[in-house]
Amino acid sequence: MIRLVPRTDPSPWLAVISPVAAIVATVLAGALIFGLLGYDAAESLYHFFISPLSRIDRITDLVVKACPLMIIALGLVFCYRANIWNIGAEGQYIIGALAAGWLALSFPDATSPLLLVGMMAIALLAGAAWAAIAALCKTIFNANEILVTLMLSYVAALVMDVLVRGPLRDPMAFGFPLTPMYPDAGLISRMPLPGLGYIGQLHYGVLIAFALAPLAWWLLNRTLPGFQVKVMGSSPRAGRFAGFSQARTTIAVLLLSGALAGLAGMIEVSANIGQLQPNVSFGYGFTAIIVAFLARLNPVGVIFAGLLVAMAELGGDNAQIALGIPKVVTGLFKGILLFFLLAGATLQHYRIIWQPRLQQTQPSETSS
């Protein structure tokens, strides 16, 4: 019988090695799956992991793809460090994008850059407000935050769908469920690279993602609220003895996570789409969960994890175009990666012991 026994002194090296081992295991498992499906494994892995880095425009697209993943994952890091499981960043992302879009469409003739600032502010507030529902249900009714945040994601998607097909619909869209385009003041501009000019879809919103990562690291590791989050996540009883409040921590991390997810939604729509439509997320909120765990819940590690997962996403698109590999294989890849990540995290704190069934029954037989 296989048993998991807690390690008395977990090695810090396992925390470093386990994500690398998870990636290697995912690549090997992917190669096996491609082979079983009848595709050339080496060529498939090339399109997944090398092709997105083969040209400068593809690298900029990689950064753009990673931008919302990194912003959302940074908020999730705080939740998971506090042992609060926010699975509904997808819904907070959608509500943030919806609120920012509503503000942009309310001022179609605006030319002031303050419109963009206002859109960011209302996206932060809307995402936080949506997460506050789960926070209040958790603190008042002790409702499971996993179920509440997850169900609210589907509610948010339906709210977006109803509004885009109804009050916000563009009468000139020929029947398509689309809103009018944002005014220019509500769009995030493309960003030129020094000496190279405008490449791909690179925009100024990515700077926000890269700036938030060290800010989140400082907040988590150099401030009292960050210390409170870590203590309440690792040892709630010790935290209560220290005077920390479980309810305030729960509300704070969920509001922060929701706000960042809302901001990610605003940036993605304003920079890459320019109008609201029924589907504005493409699963960013769920994929960011993998990013947070791949980063070992480290805000700086979120940068590298976000780029890696974005590379797998774009690589899946390349493989689909070049080899005809079904898009669902990309989702399978992410699932395998998450499985190995969680397995690595488990083995970091537990060791596997094989105990024959005969040895287990001996003590009871002796006592009888």
Side-chain angles (χ1 to χ4, degrees), residues 343-366:
T346 302
L347 294 178
Q348 181 184 347
H349 298 283
Y350 295 88
R351 56 192 176 94
I352 300 177
I353 290 183
W354 167 258
Q355 190 173 32
R357 188 174 297 276
L358 179 61
Q359 292 182 10
Q360 284 186 323
T361 56
Q362 282 179 348
S364 58
E365 292 174 355
T366 304

Side-chain angles (χ1 to χ4, degrees), residues 110-143:
T111 57
S112 172
L114 291 178
L115 176 61
L116 206 56
V117 177
M119 291 169 63
M120 290 184 182
I122 199 170
L124 287 165
L125 293 175
W130 200 250
I133 299 174
L136 294 177
C137 290
K138 172 73 174 178
T139 54
I140 297 176
F141 305 110
N142 197 28

Side-chain angles (χ1 to χ4, degrees), residues 190-205:
R190 293 172 62 199
M191 182 177 69
L193 288 177
L196 298 175
Y198 295 99
I199 298 178
Q201 298 299 317
L202 189 64
H203 56 77
Y204 284 101

Side-chain angles (χ1 to χ4, degrees), residues 314-330:
L314 292 179
D317 295 338
N318 294 338
Q320 185 182 18
I321 295 172
L323 303 177
I325 295 177
K327 180 67 176 176
V328 68
V329 176
T330 305

Side-chain angles (χ1 to χ4, degrees), residues 87-246:
I87 309 298
E90 181 83 356
Q92 296 142 23
Y93 171 103
I94 293 172
I95 292 298
L98 178 61
W102 168 79
L103 184 63
L105 297 174
S106 299
F107 299 94
D109 300 322
T111 57
S112 172
L114 291 178
L115 176 61
L116 206 56
V117 177
M119 291 169 63
M120 290 184 182
I122 199 170
L124 287 165
L125 293 175
W130 200 250
I133 299 174
L136 294 177
C137 290
K138 172 73 174 178
T139 54
I140 297 176
F141 305 110
N142 197 28
N144 188 302
E145 74 275 16
I146 296 176
L147 296 177
V148 176
T149 54
L150 182 60
M151 289 190 293
L152 284 174
S153 293
Y154 298 107
V155 174
L158 291 174
V159 170
M160 171 69 84
D161 192 81
V162 168
L163 292 180
V164 169
R165 295 179 189 275
L168 298 180
R169 185 174 186 171
D170 183 4
M172 304 299 292
F174 301 103
F176 290 100
L178 301 170
T179 68
M181 295 296 293
Y182 292 180
D184 290 343
L187 299 176
I188 296 178
S189 304
R190 293 172 62 199
M191 182 177 69
L193 288 177
L196 298 175
Y198 295 99
I199 298 178
Q201 298 299 317
L202 189 64
H203 56 77
Y204 284 101
V206 300
L207 298 180
I208 297 176
F210 284 101
L212 284 176
L215 180 62
W217 181 90
W218 174 81
L219 181 61
L220 190 62
N221 296 288
R222 293 290 185 269
T223 66
L224 180 59
F227 177 72
Q228 181 175 343
V229 167
K230 290 189 289 186
V231 170
M232 295 306 293
S234 59
S235 181
R237 188 179 180 189
R240 287 192 291 271
F241 276 120
F244 299 150
S245 168
Q246 180 70 62

Side-chain angles (χ1 to χ4, degrees), residues 24-36 41 44-45 329 333 336 340:
V24 173
T26 302
V27 171
L28 295 177
L32 177 62
I33 292 172
F34 290 136
L36 293 175
S44 302
L45 291 176
V329 176
F333 239 78
I336 294 173
F340 283 123

Side-chain angles (χ1 to χ4, degrees), residues 289-312:
I289 297 173
I290 301 176
V291 174
F293 277 104
L294 183 59
R296 309 299 298 167
L297 302 184
N298 185 316
V300 177
V302 163
I303 295 177
F304 304 101
L307 292 173
L308 180 63
V309 173
M311 183 172 64

